[in-house]
Amino acid sequence: MSVKKLIKSHRFRLFYEGLEKIYDYRMRGKVKHRQSDCLVIILLAMLSGCNIFREFVSFAKKHESKLTKILSLKNGIPSHDTLERIMHRIKHADLERMLNKMLARLLDYPVIVSLDGKYIRATRDSSKEYTTSAINVVTLYDDITKRPILSRKVAKDQNKKGGEQGAIEFLLKRYHHQHPKKKLIISIDGVGATRDITKLCKRLNYDFVINVKREEYDGLAGTIKDDFLTEIANNSHSDRLTKKIIYNPKIEHGRIEKRVFYLIKDLSYIKSTYGKPWKGIKAIGMMRSEVFNIKKNKITVQDRFFITSDMDIDTFSSVRRMHWNIESFHYILDNSFKEDRCRMKKGLSSINLNLIRKFIYMIVQLSRKDKSFDETRSENKYLSPRELLYKILFLKSIKSVQ
């Protein structure tokens, strides 16, 4: 498709008009570059493999003659200070709404989601007078289509646990407000093991699998551990215990892994421990991971315990195994997008850049076929701005990709 046809296309008009609707908070008398043009440059540069603002400007200068045919760059290429100023002033909710609207036609509603927080390490500031903690962003992640849906920045004035728990509750309420009839199965790490979150899941009619760590909640986790060890050792009550074994014979990273899942639904005799203070708990689960290290010739056994709503052993094992998708997503943010090296923390710059990285991650996921994420993104370096923009606007559905 030529540049003229691309500019006249209906999708490009909707895309550009949507960016123009985002309110510009800069001083009107000093604005020389349109905010929509700057956002397009950031999106195309990040899709081509750039990660920082100076690389964005280098990308724009390299393709200046081609960008002027697509964008109205009357005053030339904006500086990296202009791009930074836009990113730390633009409203996160408006940008998120615009980017999600573009992907809405490509993706189905999620069924199994994971919630987890990630620190941007370079934003931690240490000095002699005070120390500010790193910025923490909690993400609502679709485990089936492997895409981030919503995100929330944890307030700095809140502590680690309280901040993440508040962000988790906010994201669940926000998604339920947007899609009140959709039912989810939620997977959360140990930070989500609170009475408020289980009560909220019950009120929203969401199923959940929440990890319970002994060091944080010794009373609940200790009781669950004692129940499981007693039940596994005592075969006379095997009717209460459901078991499923998942064995992976493939040698991955020099390891052979075997996972055994257990589920207990009959909680009548321990109702005082689980039922009254923890609303919504219908079962307790356990995952035993047995890893054989070939090089060391050693077997490592680790037990993890969970509180769940009413579900069978197959659903419990699938949800827990899919939770590692969000950990892989965080690994890509750190290694491919170099997020942990980004020191931008002024205003809303950190959360806005995090949102754009997630959007580009989805574009690359939808466009790649058999190659890895890094290989697909590195190929984009040799594409022109027209081809990169075409890649964003004319993607096929994720069903056809998978």
Side-chain angles (χ1 to χ4, degrees):
M1 180 181 290
S2 64
V3 177
K4 292 183 179 179
K5 289 183 178 180
L6 182 67
I7 296 175
K8 292 181 179 180
S9 64
H10 179 64
R11 290 187 183 180
F12 178 78
R13 289 200 304 269
L14 291 178
F15 169 67
Y16 199 77
E17 288 174 2
L19 292 177
E20 286 185 331
K21 289 180 181 179
I22 300 176
Y23 187 78
D24 191 352
Y25 289 90
R26 294 176 295 171
M27 297 179 66
R28 295 300 176 89
K30 297 183 179 180
V31 173
K32 295 183 178 180
H33 303 279
R34 300 177 68 173
Q35 180 176 262
S36 54
D37 292 342
C38 295
L39 289 175
V40 172
I41 290 174
I42 292 173
L43 289 172
L44 297 181
M46 191 170 288
L47 182 59
S48 68
C50 303
N51 297 311
I52 59 178
F53 288 103
R54 294 187 183 275
E55 293 179 355
F56 299 161
V57 176
S58 300
F59 166 84
K61 290 181 178 179
K62 179 181 178 181
H63 302 283
E64 184 175 1
S65 60
K66 299 177 181 178
L67 286 173
T68 50
K69 298 178 181 179
I70 302 174
L71 308 175
S72 56
L73 299 174
K74 297 181 180 180
N75 296 315
I77 301 299
S79 64
H80 69 277
D81 290 329
T82 302
L83 300 180
E84 291 179 9
R85 195 177 299 112
I86 288 175
M87 291 311 297
H88 79 72
R89 291 189 180 184
I90 194 171
K91 195 173 181 180
H92 169 255
D94 296 339
L95 183 61
E96 185 178 44
R97 192 182 305 110
M98 165 58 193
L99 297 180
N100 286 341
K101 189 177 180 180
M102 288 189 59
L103 295 173
R105 63 182 176 84
L106 302 172
L107 304 166
D108 294 332
Y109 292 106
V111 179
I112 302 176
V113 300
S114 296
L115 281 153
D116 196 13
K118 178 187 176 299
Y119 283 92
I120 305 176
R121 298 177 186 274
T123 58
R124 184 177 182 273
D125 187 12
S126 299
S127 64
K128 296 180 180 179
E129 297 179 358
Y130 62 92
T131 301
T132 57
S133 60
I135 293 173
N136 188 9
V137 181
V138 180
T139 305
L140 179 68
Y141 187 85
D142 185 359
D143 288 325
I144 296 179
T145 59
K146 297 182 180 180
R147 67 180 178 110
I149 305 172
L150 297 172
S151 58
R152 174 75 170 179
K153 178 182 175 182
V154 177
K156 286 188 176 183
D157 56 346
Q158 296 177 344
N159 57 29
K160 178 182 177 181
K161 296 179 184 178
E164 281 198 33
Q165 291 163 5
I168 290 172
E169 294 178 15
F170 175 86
L171 292 175
L172 292 178
K173 292 177 182 178
R174 183 174 179 182
Y175 183 84
H176 185 265
H177 177 73
Q178 295 176 355
H179 311 286
K181 296 183 179 180
K182 300 299 178 180
K183 189 175 180 179
L184 297 178
I185 304 177
I186 303 164
S187 175
I188 313 176
D189 272 340
V191 71
T194 64
R195 293 174 176 84
D196 294 335
I197 291 179
T198 56
K199 184 179 179 180
L200 178 62
C201 291
K202 183 181 179 181
R203 180 167 64 85
L204 301 179
N205 197 22
Y206 290 166
D207 291 327
F208 59 86
V209 175
I210 302 177
N211 188 9
V212 181
K213 296 181 180 180
R214 185 179 180 90
E215 60 269 16
E216 296 180 0
Y217 306 95
D218 188 64
L220 181 63
T223 308
I224 292 176
K225 181 178 180 180
D226 296 338
D227 292 337
F228 267 108
L229 295 180
T230 304
E231 198 68 30
I232 293 172
N234 189 1
N235 295 326
S236 61
H237 297 85
S238 59
D239 55 333
R240 294 182 58 250
L241 187 68
T242 310
K243 181 179 179 181
K244 181 179 180 179
I245 300 176
I246 298 178
Y247 178 67
N248 185 13
K250 296 181 180 179
I251 302 176
E252 297 179 354
H253 305 288
R255 303 182 305 172
I256 301 177
E257 188 173 3
K258 173 184 175 183
R259 292 182 180 179
V260 185
F261 293 89
Y262 299 94
L263 195 67
I264 296 178
K265 284 191 175 183
D266 183 13
L267 305 179
S268 57
Y269 76 104
I270 48 175
K271 187 176 180 180
S272 59
T273 306
Y274 302 105
K276 292 182 179 179
W278 296 81
K279 293 184 178 180
I281 298 179
K282 300 296 182 181
I284 54 176
M286 171 181 166
M287 182 183 72
R288 174 165 289 177
S289 176
E290 300 178 4
V291 180
F292 175 66
N293 193 316
I294 299 176
K295 294 182 180 180
K296 297 181 180 180
N297 194 19
K298 181 181 178 181
I299 297 178
T300 305
V301 180
Q302 186 177 10
D303 295 337
R304 296 183 179 90
F305 304 96
F306 306 89
I307 51 177
T308 73
S309 57
D310 190 10
M311 62 179 63
D312 55 13
I313 187 68
D314 295 327
T315 305
F316 167 63
S317 60
S318 299
V319 171
R320 189 54 211 171
R321 285 176 63 84
M322 284 186 179
H323 184 82
W324 290 105
N325 290 331
I326 192 172
E327 303 294 346
S328 301
F329 168 65
H330 289 165
Y331 178 84
I332 290 176
L333 288 180
D334 287 340
N335 291 271
S336 299
F337 292 99
K338 313 297 182 186
E339 185 175 66
D340 274 353
R341 301 180 186 179
C342 180
R343 299 185 60 85
M344 289 297 300
K345 54 186 176 180
K346 186 177 181 180
L348 297 172
S349 57
S350 59
I351 186 67
N352 285 332
L353 284 174
N354 178 268
L355 179 61
I356 292 179
R357 291 187 193 102
K358 292 173 181 176
F359 176 76
I360 297 301
Y361 167 81
M362 273 309 307
I363 299 298
V364 178
Q365 284 286 90
L366 289 167
S367 61
R368 75 188 184 95
K369 296 180 179 179
D370 298 329
K371 297 183 180 180
S372 65
F373 183 89
D374 291 329
E375 289 176 342
T376 306
R377 192 166 180 239
S378 62
E379 287 180 353
N380 294 339
K381 295 180 181 180
Y382 306 101
L383 300 181
S384 64
R386 176 185 60 83
E387 294 170 326
L388 293 171
L389 190 59
Y390 184 86
K391 212 168 190 178
I392 293 177
L393 297 177
F394 294 89
L395 283 172
K396 296 181 180 179
S397 174
I398 195 170
K399 294 180 180 178
S400 61
V401 177
Q402 292 180 343

